[in-house]
Amino acid sequence: MYQHNGVCFEFPESWEVVDDDGDDIIRAITVECPNEGYYSMDIYNSEQAPSIDNYIERSLKYFTKELPFGFKIIDKPTRSVEKLISHNSEFEGIKLEFTVRTLFRQKVKYINRYFRVSSNTKTSLISGQYLVEHSSESEAGFDKIVSSYSLA
């Protein structure tokens, strides 16, 4: 379990919180898992938080910019709405699936998931990115983070 400065969530034992830092606008907590999954909680004062659509757009731009030379997203991401229910609360999020072509023309399928969670004064945008081939383990861990997430 992670619990620090008003943020609390559970995650699988084999996963690791690798970063928790921030500035006046955003606090970012990053979690990694052994299968190369990447998860983040970006925490804003509620009045400064972007919409989930803006957050997704920025996330995809950053992902595209960080791709190695010769890698390219080759299809428009498919988008679906997701719902998670935990402790009598319902969380609604967005799931994107897309394919990246590598330098050697290999195709790699990714899933990116996004949820928005708010408290009285703070808003978190929680995202997860992982390969489709690791989806069962990654989705279970990500669901654990989102369903246990609390923000003071």
Side-chain angles (χ1 to χ4, degrees):
M1 174 174 280
Y2 180 82
Q3 195 166 7
H4 185 67
N5 284 345
V7 176
C8 180
F9 58 89
E10 296 177 29
F11 58 97
E13 285 185 22
S14 62
W15 295 22
E16 178 183 6
V17 175
V18 294
D19 196 15
D20 182 350
D21 73 34
D23 56 31
D24 293 337
I25 298 173
I26 184 173
R27 174 179 170 198
I29 302 170
T30 305
V31 179
E32 291 181 349
C33 73
N35 68 20
E36 300 179 28
Y38 178 84
Y39 308 85
S40 66
M41 282 65 52
D42 292 340
I43 305 158
Y44 300 84
N45 290 324
S46 290
E47 64 276 355
Q48 295 174 313
S51 70
I52 196 163
D53 288 326
N54 255 348
Y55 187 76
I56 290 169
E57 183 181 325
R58 287 191 309 198
S59 173
L60 283 176
K61 280 182 183 175
Y62 181 78
F63 177 83
T64 302
K65 181 179 141 190
E66 293 297 311
L67 284 171
F69 174 77
F71 285 51
K72 180 181 178 182
I73 295 177
I74 59 171
D75 55 6
K76 184 176 179 179
T78 60
R79 182 179 174 133
S80 57
V81 174
E82 294 191 294
K83 293 185 189 290
L84 286 176
I85 299 173
S86 176
H87 304 108
N88 299 324
S89 295
E90 182 176 279
F91 301 99
E92 188 172 285
I94 304 292
K95 179 179 183 177
L96 300 179
E97 295 185 51
F98 56 92
T99 304
V100 171
R101 186 185 68 225
T102 69
L103 181 62
F104 302 107
R105 302 239 181 254
Q106 181 183 19
K107 293 180 180 177
V108 181
K109 294 186 179 214
Y110 282 89
I111 294 176
N112 284 19
R113 296 172 69 198
Y114 304 90
F115 286 86
R116 184 179 167 110
V117 177
S118 295
S119 70
N120 291 336
T121 60
K122 302 283 184 183
T123 296
S124 286
L125 288 142
I126 306 171
S127 62
Q129 176 183 300
Y130 47 88
L131 298 171
V132 167
E133 65 189 75
H134 300 297
S135 61
S136 62
E137 176 190 348
S138 296
E139 286 181 7
F142 186 71
D143 290 352
K144 188 174 193 174
I145 290 172
V146 174
S147 62
S148 66
Y149 192 83
S150 67
L151 185 62

